[in-house]
Amino acid sequence: MACISCKTKTKSIIERLFVMKNGQEKIDLLLECNADEQLKNVDWNKLNAAILNQLDEAKKYKASVRKHPIVFKIAAGVAAAAAVVFIAVMIKPQRPVDIKLGEGRTAMVEFIGSKGSASVAIIEPSDRAHAKVNIAGQSEKTANCCVQIIDSSTGQKEDVNRPSWFIICMSEYTNGNNGINRDAMDMLYLF
Amino acid sequence: MGEGQRTAKRDTEQLVKASQAGDRGAFDELVLLYQRCAMCAAVRILGNAEEAAETVQNGFVNAYLNIGKLKDAEQFEIWLLRIVTNAAISQARKAKRNAQKITIDDSLEDKKVLSPVESESSEELKEKIKQAMLKLSKKEAKAISLFGLEDLSHKKVAEIMGCSVEAVRWHVFRARQKLKVLLKDYL
């Protein structure tokens, strides 16, 4: 199929094929034909006037920047500062604050102990609070864990006296590299 | 290099230096000298004269605002074409993103309006070429567009693109291969 972009399409292509330059291909001709068709109706004087008009606007802007450099610098500084604040707010990690029993949030705290049965106490539940773990009377050992406080009243509203649940998930990095120990080990305690 | 080209080059150099010194009239002359060349490059990338005109206008404004940064006045043409082609590619990609926002219902409505005669018009080819160009990488689109421009040597195309002549040829080859498949109905 010949180039349909030109009204005199077939003739145009055939004529062009005769003057095809070295290395030029049909696809080049098609692009050339389309570009020529597009440029055929361009009013160059109008385009020139439009460019010069835009340049006038740019010149005014340039002049005002030169005239009031401090104002522009302050404006740029304010904009930059606002952008920095915005970015800082956006990338701030979502950390739980002031966790209370029953809110179902998660906090990272250090806990003391090792694998085995334990009694757990939570002191001032928040992201900075400590979970005190006493493991079978052994000496205290430190490891990282994830403390999750679950709202036990969800779906159990008829029992208002139902206690909250407290879960400690052992970090896999602190708990061996293979077998069942690779998975986070959950310990569930009932207050 | 011909006498005419040497004179034009000298003129350009003087006009650039005058523009850098703040002579607005000199820059207007540069616009007159290079608007056609810039427009040809932009049309080849965008496949559309209206969008190309907008891109060329913005390109000249950009060049005017930054002419002080151009160290070698001789390189004005290369520098300007680099600005214009980059702007054209950005414009094409922006237009593509906007087009994707059109809902399916809208596009069906548009199809109803087209008559069989219109579908075989230059508008269709224009649109097909535009879409095909968007399937190329930035470098391929730039290379095939600039490669076909008259009076622009392969060396100059390489300078505009910031790569070797061999790399330009490779991008042109790849672009042709892709376009041949995408536009096979028109070849």
Side-chain angles (χ1 to χ4, degrees), chain B residues 118-142:
Chain B
E118 281 170 323
S119 69
E120 267 225 351
S121 69
S122 62
E123 287 297 310
E124 190 189 292
L125 178 71
K126 187 173 86 176
E127 198 51 40
K128 288 276 178 190
I129 291 180
K130 195 176 161 184
Q131 294 305 320
M133 291 296 278
L134 282 169
K135 299 256 165 63
L136 306 181
S137 72
K138 283 182 186 179
K139 285 194 171 174
E140 286 162 359
K142 245 191 210 184

mmCIF file with all atom_site columns, all heavy atoms in Angstrom, chain B residues 118-142:
data_model
loop_
_atom_site.group_PDB
_atom_site.id
_atom_site.type_symbol
_atom_site.label_atom_id
_atom_site.label_alt_id
_atom_site.label_comp_id
_atom_site.label_asym_id
_atom_site.label_entity_id
_atom_site.label_seq_id
_atom_site.pdbx_PDB_ins_code
_atom_site.Cartn_x
_atom_site.Cartn_y
_atom_site.Cartn_z
_atom_site.occupancy
_atom_site.B_iso_or_equiv
_atom_site.pdbx_formal_charge
_atom_site.auth_seq_id
_atom_site.auth_comp_id
_atom_site.auth_asym_id
_atom_site.auth_atom_id
_atom_site.pdbx_PDB_model_num
ATOM 1   N N   . GLU B 1 118 ? -12.909 9.304  5.808  1.00 0.00 ? 118 GLU B N   1
ATOM 2   C CA  . GLU B 1 118 ? -12.000 9.950  6.749  1.00 0.00 ? 118 GLU B CA  1
ATOM 3   C C   . GLU B 1 118 ? -10.942 8.987  7.289  1.00 0.00 ? 118 GLU B C   1
ATOM 4   O O   . GLU B 1 118 ? -9.805  9.366  7.527  1.00 0.00 ? 118 GLU B O   1
ATOM 5   C CB  . GLU B 1 118 ? -12.781 10.532 7.929  1.00 0.00 ? 118 GLU B CB  1
ATOM 6   C CG  . GLU B 1 118 ? -13.448 11.848 7.600  1.00 0.00 ? 118 GLU B CG  1
ATOM 7   C CD  . GLU B 1 118 ? -14.408 12.260 8.696  1.00 0.00 ? 118 GLU B CD  1
ATOM 8   O OE1 . GLU B 1 118 ? -15.071 11.387 9.259  1.00 0.00 ? 118 GLU B OE1 1
ATOM 9   O OE2 . GLU B 1 118 ? -14.472 13.464 8.974  1.00 0.00 ? 118 GLU B OE2 1
ATOM 10  N N   . SER B 1 119 ? -11.376 7.726  7.465  1.00 0.00 ? 119 SER B N   1
ATOM 11  C CA  . SER B 1 119 ? -10.448 6.750  8.042  1.00 0.00 ? 119 SER B CA  1
ATOM 12  C C   . SER B 1 119 ? -9.261  6.505  7.120  1.00 0.00 ? 119 SER B C   1
ATOM 13  O O   . SER B 1 119 ? -8.225  6.034  7.555  1.00 0.00 ? 119 SER B O   1
ATOM 14  C CB  . SER B 1 119 ? -11.168 5.450  8.368  1.00 0.00 ? 119 SER B CB  1
ATOM 15  O OG  . SER B 1 119 ? -11.535 4.817  7.173  1.00 0.00 ? 119 SER B OG  1
ATOM 16  N N   . GLU B 1 120 ? -9.424  6.799  5.831  1.00 0.00 ? 120 GLU B N   1
ATOM 17  C CA  . GLU B 1 120 ? -8.314  6.610  4.894  1.00 0.00 ? 120 GLU B CA  1
ATOM 18  C C   . GLU B 1 120 ? -7.624  7.943  4.594  1.00 0.00 ? 120 GLU B C   1
ATOM 19  O O   . GLU B 1 120 ? -7.028  8.126  3.548  1.00 0.00 ? 120 GLU B O   1
ATOM 20  C CB  . GLU B 1 120 ? -8.844  5.986  3.592  1.00 0.00 ? 120 GLU B CB  1
ATOM 21  C CG  . GLU B 1 120 ? -8.753  4.480  3.591  1.00 0.00 ? 120 GLU B CG  1
ATOM 22  C CD  . GLU B 1 120 ? -8.217  3.929  2.288  1.00 0.00 ? 120 GLU B CD  1
ATOM 23  O OE1 . GLU B 1 120 ? -8.063  4.686  1.319  1.00 0.00 ? 120 GLU B OE1 1
ATOM 24  O OE2 . GLU B 1 120 ? -7.916  2.731  2.268  1.00 0.00 ? 120 GLU B OE2 1
ATOM 25  N N   . SER B 1 121 ? -7.743  8.870  5.482  1.00 0.00 ? 121 SER B N   1
ATOM 26  C CA  . SER B 1 121 ? -7.151  10.180 5.237  1.00 0.00 ? 121 SER B CA  1
ATOM 27  C C   . SER B 1 121 ? -5.745  10.251 5.810  1.00 0.00 ? 121 SER B C   1
ATOM 28  O O   . SER B 1 121 ? -5.265  9.332  6.460  1.00 0.00 ? 121 SER B O   1
ATOM 29  C CB  . SER B 1 121 ? -8.018  11.253 5.888  1.00 0.00 ? 121 SER B CB  1
ATOM 30  O OG  . SER B 1 121 ? -7.899  11.120 7.280  1.00 0.00 ? 121 SER B OG  1
ATOM 31  N N   . SER B 1 122 ? -5.132  11.384 5.565  1.00 0.00 ? 122 SER B N   1
ATOM 32  C CA  . SER B 1 122 ? -3.786  11.591 6.086  1.00 0.00 ? 122 SER B CA  1
ATOM 33  C C   . SER B 1 122 ? -3.784  11.623 7.609  1.00 0.00 ? 122 SER B C   1
ATOM 34  O O   . SER B 1 122 ? -2.784  11.347 8.247  1.00 0.00 ? 122 SER B O   1
ATOM 35  C CB  . SER B 1 122 ? -3.215  12.887 5.538  1.00 0.00 ? 122 SER B CB  1
ATOM 36  O OG  . SER B 1 122 ? -4.003  13.969 5.965  1.00 0.00 ? 122 SER B OG  1
ATOM 37  N N   . GLU B 1 123 ? -4.960  11.971 8.158  1.00 0.00 ? 123 GLU B N   1
ATOM 38  C CA  . GLU B 1 123 ? -5.079  12.002 9.616  1.00 0.00 ? 123 GLU B CA  1
ATOM 39  C C   . GLU B 1 123 ? -4.775  10.629 10.216 1.00 0.00 ? 123 GLU B C   1
ATOM 40  O O   . GLU B 1 123 ? -4.140  10.531 11.255 1.00 0.00 ? 123 GLU B O   1
ATOM 41  C CB  . GLU B 1 123 ? -6.497  12.415 10.024 1.00 0.00 ? 123 GLU B CB  1
ATOM 42  C CG  . GLU B 1 123 ? -6.802  13.881 9.813  1.00 0.00 ? 123 GLU B CG  1
ATOM 43  C CD  . GLU B 1 123 ? -5.926  14.788 10.653 1.00 0.00 ? 123 GLU B CD  1
ATOM 44  O OE1 . GLU B 1 123 ? -5.812  14.557 11.858 1.00 0.00 ? 123 GLU B OE1 1
ATOM 45  O OE2 . GLU B 1 123 ? -5.327  15.720 10.080 1.00 0.00 ? 123 GLU B OE2 1
ATOM 46  N N   . GLU B 1 124 ? -5.248  9.595  9.519  1.00 0.00 ? 124 GLU B N   1
ATOM 47  C CA  . GLU B 1 124 ? -5.047  8.250  10.028 1.00 0.00 ? 124 GLU B CA  1
ATOM 48  C C   . GLU B 1 124 ? -3.563  7.895  10.033 1.00 0.00 ? 124 GLU B C   1
ATOM 49  O O   . GLU B 1 124 ? -3.041  7.362  11.010 1.00 0.00 ? 124 GLU B O   1
ATOM 50  C CB  . GLU B 1 124 ? -5.830  7.246  9.182  1.00 0.00 ? 124 GLU B CB  1
ATOM 51  C CG  . GLU B 1 124 ? -5.859  5.878  9.816  1.00 0.00 ? 124 GLU B CG  1
ATOM 52  C CD  . GLU B 1 124 ? -6.433  4.815  8.906  1.00 0.00 ? 124 GLU B CD  1
ATOM 53  O OE1 . GLU B 1 124 ? -7.631  4.853  8.626  1.00 0.00 ? 124 GLU B OE1 1
ATOM 54  O OE2 . GLU B 1 124 ? -5.654  3.960  8.464  1.00 0.00 ? 124 GLU B OE2 1
ATOM 55  N N   . LEU B 1 125 ? -2.925  8.211  8.932  1.00 0.00 ? 125 LEU B N   1
ATOM 56  C CA  . LEU B 1 125 ? -1.493  7.897  8.843  1.00 0.00 ? 125 LEU B CA  1
ATOM 57  C C   . LEU B 1 125 ? -0.714  8.693  9.896  1.00 0.00 ? 125 LEU B C   1
ATOM 58  O O   . LEU B 1 125 ? 0.178   8.164  10.564 1.00 0.00 ? 125 LEU B O   1
ATOM 59  C CB  . LEU B 1 125 ? -0.954  8.221  7.443  1.00 0.00 ? 125 LEU B CB  1
ATOM 60  C CG  . LEU B 1 125 ? 0.537   7.969  7.300  1.00 0.00 ? 125 LEU B CG  1
ATOM 61  C CD1 . LEU B 1 125 ? 0.855   6.489  7.290  1.00 0.00 ? 125 LEU B CD1 1
ATOM 62  C CD2 . LEU B 1 125 ? 1.083   8.618  6.046  1.00 0.00 ? 125 LEU B CD2 1
ATOM 63  N N   . LYS B 1 126 ? -1.121  9.964  10.012 1.00 0.00 ? 126 LYS B N   1
ATOM 64  C CA  . LYS B 1 126 ? -0.475  10.829 10.999 1.00 0.00 ? 126 LYS B CA  1
ATOM 65  C C   . LYS B 1 126 ? -0.551  10.187 12.387 1.00 0.00 ? 126 LYS B C   1
ATOM 66  O O   . LYS B 1 126 ? 0.437   10.107 13.105 1.00 0.00 ? 126 LYS B O   1
ATOM 67  C CB  . LYS B 1 126 ? -1.198  12.186 10.993 1.00 0.00 ? 126 LYS B CB  1
ATOM 68  C CG  . LYS B 1 126 ? -0.568  13.247 11.839 1.00 0.00 ? 126 LYS B CG  1
ATOM 69  C CD  . LYS B 1 126 ? -1.252  14.565 11.635 1.00 0.00 ? 126 LYS B CD  1
ATOM 70  C CE  . LYS B 1 126 ? -2.461  14.725 12.527 1.00 0.00 ? 126 LYS B CE  1
ATOM 71  N NZ  . LYS B 1 126 ? -3.097  16.051 12.402 1.00 0.00 ? 126 LYS B NZ  1
ATOM 72  N N   . GLU B 1 127 ? -1.736  9.721  12.724 1.00 0.00 ? 127 GLU B N   1
ATOM 73  C CA  . GLU B 1 127 ? -1.959  9.115  14.025 1.00 0.00 ? 127 GLU B CA  1
ATOM 74  C C   . GLU B 1 127 ? -1.178  7.810  14.169 1.00 0.00 ? 127 GLU B C   1
ATOM 75  O O   . GLU B 1 127 ? -0.583  7.544  15.212 1.00 0.00 ? 127 GLU B O   1
ATOM 76  C CB  . GLU B 1 127 ? -3.468  8.879  14.202 1.00 0.00 ? 127 GLU B CB  1
ATOM 77  C CG  . GLU B 1 127 ? -3.903  8.665  15.637 1.00 0.00 ? 127 GLU B CG  1
ATOM 78  C CD  . GLU B 1 127 ? -3.413  9.712  16.614 1.00 0.00 ? 127 GLU B CD  1
ATOM 79  O OE1 . GLU B 1 127 ? -3.396  10.916 16.273 1.00 0.00 ? 127 GLU B OE1 1
ATOM 80  O OE2 . GLU B 1 127 ? -2.991  9.314  17.715 1.00 0.00 ? 127 GLU B OE2 1
ATOM 81  N N   . LYS B 1 128 ? -1.176  7.014  13.085 1.00 0.00 ? 128 LYS B N   1
ATOM 82  C CA  . LYS B 1 128 ? -0.461  5.730  13.120 1.00 0.00 ? 128 LYS B CA  1
ATOM 83  C C   . LYS B 1 128 ? 1.034   5.956  13.321 1.00 0.00 ? 128 LYS B C   1
ATOM 84  O O   . LYS B 1 128 ? 1.692   5.251  14.090 1.00 0.00 ? 128 LYS B O   1
ATOM 85  C CB  . LYS B 1 128 ? -0.699  4.955  11.815 1.00 0.00 ? 128 LYS B CB  1
ATOM 86  C CG  . LYS B 1 128 ? -2.090  4.405  11.687 1.00 0.00 ? 128 LYS B CG  1
ATOM 87  C CD  . LYS B 1 128 ? -2.235  3.066  12.394 1.00 0.00 ? 128 LYS B CD  1
ATOM 88  C CE  . LYS B 1 128 ? -3.663  2.562  12.273 1.00 0.00 ? 128 LYS B CE  1
ATOM 89  N NZ  . LYS B 1 128 ? -3.932  1.405  13.107 1.00 0.00 ? 128 LYS B NZ  1
ATOM 90  N N   . ILE B 1 129 ? 1.573   6.946  12.605 1.00 0.00 ? 129 ILE B N   1
ATOM 91  C CA  . ILE B 1 129 ? 3.007   7.237  12.735 1.00 0.00 ? 129 ILE B CA  1
ATOM 92  C C   . ILE B 1 129 ? 3.302   7.721  14.149 1.00 0.00 ? 129 ILE B C   1
ATOM 93  O O   . ILE B 1 129 ? 4.286   7.305  14.770 1.00 0.00 ? 129 ILE B O   1
ATOM 94  C CB  . ILE B 1 129 ? 3.471   8.263  11.670 1.00 0.00 ? 129 ILE B CB  1
ATOM 95  C CG1 . ILE B 1 129 ? 3.432   7.600  10.281 1.00 0.00 ? 129 ILE B CG1 1
ATOM 96  C CG2 . ILE B 1 129 ? 4.858   8.808  11.981 1.00 0.00 ? 129 ILE B CG2 1
ATOM 97  C CD1 . ILE B 1 129 ? 3.855   8.481  9.133  1.00 0.00 ? 129 ILE B CD1 1
ATOM 98  N N   . LYS B 1 130 ? 2.417   8.559  14.654 1.00 0.00 ? 130 LYS B N   1
ATOM 99  C CA  . LYS B 1 130 ? 2.590   9.093  16.015 1.00 0.00 ? 130 LYS B CA  1
ATOM 100 C C   . LYS B 1 130 ? 2.632   7.947  17.032 1.00 0.00 ? 130 LYS B C   1
ATOM 101 O O   . LYS B 1 130 ? 3.510   7.903  17.898 1.00 0.00 ? 130 LYS B O   1
ATOM 102 C CB  . LYS B 1 130 ? 1.427   10.031 16.317 1.00 0.00 ? 130 LYS B CB  1
ATOM 103 C CG  . LYS B 1 130 ? 1.625   10.915 17.500 1.00 0.00 ? 130 LYS B CG  1
ATOM 104 C CD  . LYS B 1 130 ? 0.457   11.852 17.615 1.00 0.00 ? 130 LYS B CD  1
ATOM 105 C CE  . LYS B 1 130 ? 0.368   12.428 18.996 1.00 0.00 ? 130 LYS B CE  1
ATOM 106 N NZ  . LYS B 1 130 ? -0.812  13.268 19.165 1.00 0.00 ? 130 LYS B NZ  1
ATOM 107 N N   . GLN B 1 131 ? 1.691   7.039  16.893 1.00 0.00 ? 131 GLN B N   1
ATOM 108 C CA  . GLN B 1 131 ? 1.637   5.900  17.817 1.00 0.00 ? 131 GLN B CA  1
ATOM 109 C C   . GLN B 1 131 ? 2.862   4.994  17.660 1.00 0.00 ? 131 GLN B C   1
ATOM 110 O O   . GLN B 1 131 ? 3.413   4.493  18.644 1.00 0.00 ? 131 GLN B O   1
ATOM 111 C CB  . GLN B 1 131 ? 0.369   5.063  17.581 1.00 0.00 ? 131 GLN B CB  1
ATOM 112 C CG  . GLN B 1 131 ? -0.928  5.786  17.918 1.00 0.00 ? 131 GLN B CG  1
ATOM 113 C CD  . GLN B 1 131 ? -0.966  6.327  19.327 1.00 0.00 ? 131 GLN B CD  1
ATOM 114 O OE1 . GLN B 1 131 ? -0.511  5.681  20.265 1.00 0.00 ? 131 GLN B OE1 1
ATOM 115 N NE2 . GLN B 1 131 ? -1.462  7.540  19.483 1.00 0.00 ? 131 GLN B NE2 1
ATOM 116 N N   . ALA B 1 132 ? 3.274   4.810  16.398 1.00 0.00 ? 132 ALA B N   1
ATOM 117 C CA  . ALA B 1 132 ? 4.440   3.957  16.137 1.00 0.00 ? 132 ALA B CA  1
ATOM 118 C C   . ALA B 1 132 ? 5.702   4.585  16.734 1.00 0.00 ? 132 ALA B C   1
ATOM 119 O O   . ALA B 1 132 ? 6.534   3.876  17.322 1.00 0.00 ? 132 ALA B O   1
ATOM 120 C CB  . ALA B 1 132 ? 4.609   3.754  14.635 1.00 0.00 ? 132 ALA B CB  1
ATOM 121 N N   . MET B 1 133 ? 5.829   5.886  16.606 1.00 0.00 ? 133 MET B N   1
ATOM 122 C CA  . MET B 1 133 ? 7.008   6.574  17.149 1.00 0.00 ? 133 MET B CA  1
ATOM 123 C C   . MET B 1 133 ? 7.069   6.427  18.673 1.00 0.00 ? 133 MET B C   1
ATOM 124 O O   . MET B 1 133 ? 8.149   6.357  19.259 1.00 0.00 ? 133 MET B O   1
ATOM 125 C CB  . MET B 1 133 ? 6.995   8.063  16.780 1.00 0.00 ? 133 MET B CB  1
ATOM 126 C CG  . MET B 1 133 ? 7.209   8.338  15.308 1.00 0.00 ? 133 MET B CG  1
ATOM 127 S SD  . MET B 1 133 ? 8.821   7.840  14.686 1.00 0.00 ? 133 MET B SD  1
ATOM 128 C CE  . MET B 1 133 ? 9.825   9.205  15.155 1.00 0.00 ? 133 MET B CE  1
ATOM 129 N N   . LEU B 1 134 ? 5.897   6.381  19.285 1.00 0.00 ? 134 LEU B N   1
ATOM 130 C CA  . LEU B 1 134 ? 5.859   6.229  20.743 1.00 0.00 ? 134 LEU B CA  1
ATOM 131 C C   . LEU B 1 134 ? 6.319   4.850  21.194 1.00 0.00 ? 134 LEU B C   1
ATOM 132 O O   . LEU B 1 134 ? 6.678   4.660  22.354 1.00 0.00 ? 134 LEU B O   1
ATOM 133 C CB  . LEU B 1 134 ? 4.444   6.496  21.259 1.00 0.00 ? 134 LEU B CB  1
ATOM 134 C CG  . LEU B 1 134 ? 4.037   7.965  21.349 1.00 0.00 ? 134 LEU B CG  1
ATOM 135 C CD1 . LEU B 1 134 ? 2.557   8.092  21.621 1.00 0.00 ? 134 LEU B CD1 1
ATOM 136 C CD2 . LEU B 1 134 ? 4.822   8.693  22.422 1.00 0.00 ? 134 LEU B CD2 1
ATOM 137 N N   . LYS B 1 135 ? 6.289   3.899  20.268 1.00 0.00 ? 135 LYS B N   1
ATOM 138 C CA  . LYS B 1 135 ? 6.732   2.546  20.619 1.00 0.00 ? 135 LYS B CA  1
ATOM 139 C C   . LYS B 1 135 ? 8.260   2.432  20.581 1.00 0.00 ? 135 LYS B C   1
ATOM 140 O O   . LYS B 1 135 ? 8.836   1.446  21.028 1.00 0.00 ? 135 LYS B O   1
ATOM 141 C CB  . LYS B 1 135 ? 6.126   1.527  19.644 1.00 0.00 ? 135 LYS B CB  1
ATOM 142 C CG  . LYS B 1 135 ? 4.600   1.506  19.660 1.00 0.00 ? 135 LYS B CG  1
ATOM 143 C CD  . LYS B 1 135 ? 4.087   0.302  20.418 1.00 0.00 ? 135 LYS B CD  1
ATOM 144 C CE  . LYS B 1 135 ? 2.636   0.392  20.793 1.00 0.00 ? 135 LYS B CE  1
ATOM 145 N NZ  . LYS B 1 135 ? 1.696   0.466  19.701 1.00 0.00 ? 135 LYS B NZ  1
ATOM 146 N N   . LEU B 1 136 ? 8.906   3.443  20.005 1.00 0.00 ? 136 LEU B N   1
ATOM 147 C CA  . LEU B 1 136 ? 10.371  3.418  19.939 1.00 0.00 ? 136 LEU B CA  1
ATOM 148 C C   . LEU B 1 136 ? 10.954  3.944  21.243 1.00 0.00 ? 136 LEU B C   1
ATOM 149 O O   . LEU B 1 136 ? 10.284  4.666  21.971 1.00 0.00 ? 136 LEU B O   1
ATOM 150 C CB  . LEU B 1 136 ? 10.868  4.297  18.790 1.00 0.00 ? 136 LEU B CB  1
ATOM 151 C CG  . LEU B 1 136 ? 10.305  4.036  17.382 1.00 0.00 ? 136 LEU B CG  1
ATOM 152 C CD1 . LEU B 1 136 ? 10.943  5.004  16.398 1.00 0.00 ? 136 LEU B CD1 1
ATOM 153 C CD2 . LEU B 1 136 ? 10.567  2.613  16.949 1.00 0.00 ? 136 LEU B CD2 1
ATOM 154 N N   . SER B 1 137 ? 12.201  3.605  21.477 1.00 0.00 ? 137 SER B N   1
ATOM 155 C CA  . SER B 1 137 ? 12.872  4.191  22.641 1.00 0.00 ? 137 SER B CA  1
ATOM 156 C C   . SER B 1 137 ? 13.189  5.643  22.292 1.00 0.00 ? 137 SER B C   1
ATOM 157 O O   . SER B 1 137 ? 13.136  6.038  21.126 1.00 0.00 ? 137 SER B O   1
ATOM 158 C CB  . SER B 1 137 ? 14.151  3.424  22.951 1.00 0.00 ? 137 SER B CB  1
ATOM 159 O OG  . SER B 1 137 ? 15.120  3.706  21.965 1.00 0.00 ? 137 SER B OG  1
ATOM 160 N N   . LYS B 1 138 ? 13.531  6.426  23.320 1.00 0.00 ? 138 LYS B N   1
ATOM 161 C CA  . LYS B 1 138 ? 13.831  7.840  23.093 1.00 0.00 ? 138 LYS B CA  1
ATOM 162 C C   . LYS B 1 138 ? 14.937  8.008  22.059 1.00 0.00 ? 138 LYS B C   1
ATOM 163 O O   . LYS B 1 138 ? 14.862  8.850  21.176 1.00 0.00 ? 138 LYS B O   1
ATOM 164 C CB  . LYS B 1 138 ? 14.257  8.503  24.407 1.00 0.00 ? 138 LYS B CB  1
ATOM 165 C CG  . LYS B 1 138 ? 13.111  8.809  25.327 1.00 0.00 ? 138 LYS B CG  1
ATOM 166 C CD  . LYS B 1 138 ? 13.601  9.503  26.574 1.00 0.00 ? 138 LYS B CD  1
ATOM 167 C CE  . LYS B 1 138 ? 12.459  9.663  27.560 1.00 0.00 ? 138 LYS B CE  1
ATOM 168 N NZ  . LYS B 1 138 ? 12.868  10.315 28.793 1.00 0.00 ? 138 LYS B NZ  1
ATOM 169 N N   . LYS B 1 139 ? 15.973  7.203  22.191 1.00 0.00 ? 139 LYS B N   1
ATOM 170 C CA  . LYS B 1 139 ? 17.131  7.329  21.304 1.00 0.00 ? 139 LYS B CA  1
ATOM 171 C C   . LYS B 1 139 ? 16.781  6.934  19.874 1.00 0.00 ? 139 LYS B C   1
ATOM 172 O O   . LYS B 1 139 ? 17.230  7.553  18.919 1.00 0.00 ? 139 LYS B O   1
ATOM 173 C CB  . LYS B 1 139 ? 18.308  6.504  21.829 1.00 0.00 ? 139 LYS B CB  1
ATOM 174 C CG  . LYS B 1 139 ? 18.960  7.182  23.007 1.00 0.00 ? 139 LYS B CG  1
ATOM 175 C CD  . LYS B 1 139 ? 20.289  6.607  23.355 1.00 0.00 ? 139 LYS B CD  1
ATOM 176 C CE  . LYS B 1 139 ? 20.962  7.491  24.391 1.00 0.00 ? 139 LYS B CE  1
ATOM 177 N NZ  . LYS B 1 139 ? 22.195  6.942  24.892 1.00 0.00 ? 139 LYS B NZ  1
ATOM 178 N N   . GLU B 1 140 ? 15.977  5.873  19.770 1.00 0.00 ? 140 GLU B N   1
ATOM 179 C CA  . GLU B 1 140 ? 15.572  5.428  18.424 1.00 0.00 ? 140 GLU B CA  1
ATOM 180 C C   . GLU B 1 140 ? 14.728  6.494  17.738 1.00 0.00 ? 140 GLU B C   1
ATOM 181 O O   . GLU B 1 140 ? 14.924  6.792  16.555 1.00 0.00 ? 140 GLU B O   1
ATOM 182 C CB  . GLU B 1 140 ? 14.794  4.113  18.527 1.00 0.00 ? 140 GLU B CB  1
ATOM 183 C CG  . GLU B 1 140 ? 15.666  2.909  18.833 1.00 0.00 ? 140 GLU B CG  1
ATOM 184 C CD  . GLU B 1 140 ? 14.896  1.707  19.354 1.00 0.00 ? 140 GLU B CD  1
ATOM 185 O OE1 . GLU B 1 140 ? 13.662  1.790  19.503 1.00 0.00 ? 140 GLU B OE1 1
ATOM 186 O OE2 . GLU B 1 140 ? 15.542  0.680  19.634 1.00 0.00 ? 140 GLU B OE2 1
ATOM 187 N N   . ALA B 1 141 ? 13.782  7.066  18.496 1.00 0.00 ? 141 ALA B N   1
ATOM 188 C CA  . ALA B 1 141 ? 12.907  8.102  17.927 1.00 0.00 ? 141 ALA B CA  1
ATOM 189 C C   . ALA B 1 141 ? 13.725  9.310  17.489 1.00 0.00 ? 141 ALA B C   1
ATOM 190 O O   . ALA B 1 141 ? 13.522  9.866  16.405 1.00 0.00 ? 141 ALA B O   1
ATOM 191 C CB  . ALA B 1 141 ? 11.858  8.511  18.954 1.00 0.00 ? 141 ALA B CB  1
ATOM 192 N N   . LYS B 1 142 ? 14.670  9.692  18.341 1.00 0.00 ? 142 LYS B N   1
ATOM 193 C CA  . LYS B 1 142 ? 15.514  10.846 18.017 1.00 0.00 ? 142 LYS B CA  1
ATOM 194 C C   . LYS B 1 142 ? 16.349  10.559 16.775 1.00 0.00 ? 142 LYS B C   1
ATOM 195 O O   . LYS B 1 142 ? 16.448  11.382 15.870 1.00 0.00 ? 142 LYS B O   1
ATOM 196 C CB  . LYS B 1 142 ? 16.465  11.103 19.194 1.00 0.00 ? 142 LYS B CB  1
ATOM 197 C CG  . LYS B 1 142 ? 16.228  12.420 19.887 1.00 0.00 ? 142 LYS B CG  1
ATOM 198 C CD  . LYS B 1 142 ? 17.387  12.644 20.821 1.00 0.00 ? 142 LYS B CD  1
ATOM 199 C CE  . LYS B 1 142 ? 17.001  13.441 21.999 1.00 0.00 ? 142 LYS B CE  1
ATOM 200 N NZ  . LYS B 1 142 ? 18.110  13.758 22.876 1.00 0.00 ? 142 LYS B NZ  1
#
